[in-house]
Amino acid sequence: TAPIADTSATGSILVPAIKDHGYKPGFAAARVACAGTIGAIIPPSMTMIVYGSMANVSIGGLFLGGIIPGILIGLGLMVVIKLYSLSLAFPELRVTSGAFDLRKVTRATVNVWPALLAPVLVVGGILTGAFTATEAGVVACFYGFFVGFFIYRKLKLRDLPNIFIRAGITTAMVSGIIGVAGALGWLLSYLNFNDVVLAGITGVTDSKLGVMLLMMLVMLVLTMFVDSMAILIIMI
């Protein structure tokens, strides 16, 4: 759900801009879809919160462990795009944004630094123990309201009812997935499905690496047909 939300939120803006620079529509869509998967890795991540709460794992530790892999994935995507832009795959490629200008980046950073502090506040508060992952959501909401209303002055009081409705719809959707997946997971455990799967996997290999690869393959196939959050809950 998180990657889908990230992709849908940014895709309507990024895909037209990417196409305007000469990239093919298919490549633009694939680039945004691949980048959307980083949303579950870079903190704060709803996937990590659900996993940590169910598996009794430190959510702060998961957040801290996801930063470096997320950055590496982002850098890898940047390298692939750069290589494609230099190849014959994009003979019509044109760059219209001009040369890189550090002054523009500096001015933009000054303008957006209050918003950039939001993930730092959330992750830092969890890691330092100032508040829990659940409380971090409340802190992030109040901070977002403060920045939007008092600093950027883009948020109006009349916008709040629509924001609450959209937040309620999103929460209900995620809660529904978690509820149904939890019930299915309980049913599979009651039917000893876990023992059947474990016996099947260990019958193929006893290697820790082999078991991990088989589990990754199973999850890859399942997530092609079922929501990733549901699969996560069932597998845990």
Side-chain angles (χ1 to χ4, degrees):
T1 51
I4 296 174
D6 292 334
T7 303
S8 61
T10 60
S12 59
I13 300 174
L14 294 178
V15 171
I18 296 173
K19 290 166 60 179
D20 289 342
H21 281 72
Y23 289 93
K24 298 176 181 177
F27 183 83
R31 174 250 174 270
V32 173
C34 291
T37 60
I38 307 179
I41 302 173
I42 291 285
S45 165
M46 182 174 63
T47 302
M48 291 182 178
I49 293 174
V50 173
Y51 177 83
S53 61
M54 293 193 64
N56 254 348
V57 178
S58 169
I59 297 176
L62 291 174
F63 281 0
L64 199 60
I67 296 175
I68 300 301
I71 292 176
L72 291 176
I73 293 174
L75 292 175
L77 291 174
M78 293 168 65
V79 170
V80 171
I81 292 173
K82 181 62 176 178
L83 293 177
Y84 264 80
S85 67
L86 297 176
S87 70
L88 297 178
F90 295 99
E92 73 282 11
L93 186 64
R94 61 186 183 277
V95 178
T96 59
S97 58
F100 176 77
D101 191 344
L102 183 59
R103 290 175 297 180
K104 292 183 179 179
V105 175
T106 303
R107 288 195 297 268
T109 303
V110 172
N111 292 332
V112 303
W113 73 264
L116 294 177
L117 285 180
V120 177
L121 176 66
V122 171
V123 177
I126 295 176
L127 293 179
T128 58
F131 41 74
T132 65
T134 304
E135 295 167 346
V138 179
V139 173
C141 288
F142 275 102
Y143 181 77
F145 173 79
F146 176 81
V147 172
F149 191 81
F150 293 102
I151 298 180
Y152 292 132
R153 300 182 184 276
K154 298 291 186 181
L155 181 63
K156 307 298 180 183
L157 291 178
R158 62 175 179 270
D159 298 328
L160 293 181
N162 188 37
I163 293 175
F164 290 150
I165 292 174
R166 292 188 316 196
I169 293 174
T170 303
T171 303
M173 178 181 65
V174 176
S175 300
I177 293 174
I178 293 176
V180 175
L184 179 58
W186 175 86
L187 178 62
L188 294 177
S189 298
Y190 180 77
L191 297 175
N192 292 325
F193 182 75
N194 298 341
D195 296 335
V196 175
V197 174
L198 184 61
I201 292 178
T202 54
V204 176
T205 177
D206 290 329
S207 169
K208 292 182 179 179
L209 179 60
V211 171
M212 184 66 70
L213 291 175
L214 284 175
M215 294 291 289
M216 291 172 60
L217 178 62
V218 170
M219 293 193 69
L220 175 63
V221 174
L222 290 178
T223 50
M224 293 180 181
F225 307 98
V226 185
D227 183 82
S228 57
M229 188 65 69
I231 295 300
L232 177 68
I233 296 171
I234 293 172
M235 295 296 283
I236 295 174

